[in-house]
Amino acid sequence: MGKNKLKKFADMKRMQCVFQFPFAVVQQGGCPMRGKWNEQYFNNGNPIVLELGCGKGEYAVGLAQRFPGKNYIGVDIKGARMWTGAKMATEQGLPNVAFLRTNIELIDRMFAPGEVAEIWITFPDPQMKKVNKRLTSTRFLDNYRNILKDGGLVHLKTDSPFLYTYTHALVEENRLPVEADTDDLYASGMADDILDIKTHYEMQWLQRGLTIKYIRFALPHGVELVEPDIDIEPDTYRSYNRGYIQMPQLMHDAENDNNP
């Protein structure tokens, strides 16, 4: 492991906005913060909004900046990426954003039933070969319902035609209430102050000429969800290699501050 990554992990241990719990602790007794996020960290009763697979945390930080009346938690297993958003939140003194390092599969051990109001899923891996790994599959939606309030919102923002088509079909098959739906966000006129937040990877997709898809739907309790029976054409492009940084200036990337 490189020295820079080790430094980031050390930094995160000192950041009050970052929560990390050993897997054994979570497996045996659940997250110590479960059901207590507002009481013990945010110190208010505002709605909690999650960004799952938050990466560098741009959306969680951007939302927290714009909407102080809500509490935001970025969730990811990649701590070295999350460090960027956590550093920005710490330097800006944002009281309504936190970061949780964990597997999304364990999300219902981290939050109590009804503790979460909304979930954002921003530019996840479409998982074209494995249905049960898609973050909008029935497997994950059922898990989200364990923590979402009844009718809580799920937002998907993606570059992937495959994942958008799949999610659209799943929502339609299960007659889930749809609040917004477009296969070309920035041409639709729907991009408002929330949706105009652009992550590092979104900027890459836009520069490559790809359209951004967005769907927002409610997730009622007590409804048995089924997978759609649909053949979907795979995406015809690939992500850049991990080491490729196309727009290093994005969001005043805090990583540059670590290398004077």
Side-chain angles (χ1 to χ4, degrees):
M1 185 179 295
K3 291 182 179 180
N4 191 42
K5 185 173 288 189
L6 288 172
K7 183 181 184 305
K8 290 179 180 179
F9 286 140
D11 286 346
M12 290 177 65
K13 288 182 180 180
R14 295 190 293 267
M15 293 177 180
Q16 293 185 354
C17 67
V18 176
F19 293 84
Q20 307 177 78
F21 304 101
F23 178 75
V25 172
V26 175
Q27 189 177 39
Q28 292 174 10
C31 172
M33 293 293 291
R34 188 174 188 262
K36 304 173 183 177
W37 287 94
N38 275 347
E39 176 187 349
Q40 295 192 4
Y41 180 72
F42 294 113
N43 299 310
N44 60 47
N46 295 338
I48 292 176
V49 182
L50 306 184
E51 183 194 1
L52 302 183
C54 69
K56 292 177 180 289
E58 297 104 318
Y59 239 88
V61 171
L63 289 169
Q65 290 169 335
R66 288 163 170 78
F67 302 99
K70 292 184 179 181
N71 299 325
Y72 296 91
I73 303 176
V75 181
D76 209 308
I77 195 60
K78 300 289 186 180
R81 297 181 191 175
M82 187 185 296
W83 173 88
T84 301
K87 186 171 187 291
M88 293 173 63
T90 299
E91 290 178 343
Q92 295 177 25
L94 293 173
N96 63 325
V97 63
F99 290 90
L100 172 63
R101 188 181 178 198
T102 190
N103 289 301
I104 295 173
E105 288 85 351
L106 301 176
I107 200 70
D108 60 345
R109 301 188 185 188
M110 304 294 172
F111 299 92
E115 190 172 12
V116 175
E118 299 178 41
I119 288 175
W120 279 86
I121 305 170
T122 53
F123 302 95
D125 185 331
Q127 297 288 351
M128 291 183 283
K129 295 182 179 180
K130 299 179 180 179
V131 174
N132 68 349
K133 287 194 173 185
R134 296 173 198 158
L135 293 187
T136 54
S137 68
T138 56
R139 172 199 176 197
F140 279 96
L141 293 182
D142 280 334
N143 211 11
Y144 302 157
R145 289 198 295 190
N146 291 332
I147 62 173
L148 274 173
K149 66 178 185 179
D150 193 6
L153 296 177
V154 176
H155 306 252
L156 172 68
K157 195 177 181 186
T158 180
D159 59 283
S160 169
F162 179 93
L163 184 61
Y164 169 75
T165 300
Y166 164 78
T167 305
H168 185 279
L170 186 148
V171 167
E172 190 173 66
E173 175 71 24
N174 291 281
R175 299 183 180 180
L176 301 178
V178 177
E179 291 195 355
D181 185 5
T182 177
D183 62 358
D184 191 349
L185 177 61
Y186 297 110
S188 70
M190 291 173 54
D192 54 19
D193 193 39
I194 303 175
L195 294 172
D196 197 46
I197 301 171
K198 296 182 178 67
T199 69
H200 174 79
Y201 294 105
E202 180 174 358
M203 295 295 286
Q204 290 187 2
W205 305 135
L206 290 170
Q207 192 174 53
R208 293 172 74 176
L210 301 175
T211 59
I212 304 302
K213 295 88 171 127
Y214 172 72
I215 184 169
R216 179 174 73 247
F217 58 94
L219 195 54
H221 292 182
V223 179
E224 183 179 357
L225 301 176
V226 298
E227 289 289 338
D229 184 12
I230 181 175
D231 292 324
I232 307 174
E233 184 176 348
D235 294 338
T236 57
Y237 62 93
R238 293 179 179 272
S239 301
Y240 289 116
N241 292 332
R242 182 174 296 179
Y244 184 89
I245 301 178
Q246 184 168 348
M247 302 192 75
Q249 78 279 12
L250 181 66
M251 294 252 336
H252 181 57
D253 192 346
E255 293 181 10
N256 293 336
D257 297 340
N258 196 44
N259 298 292

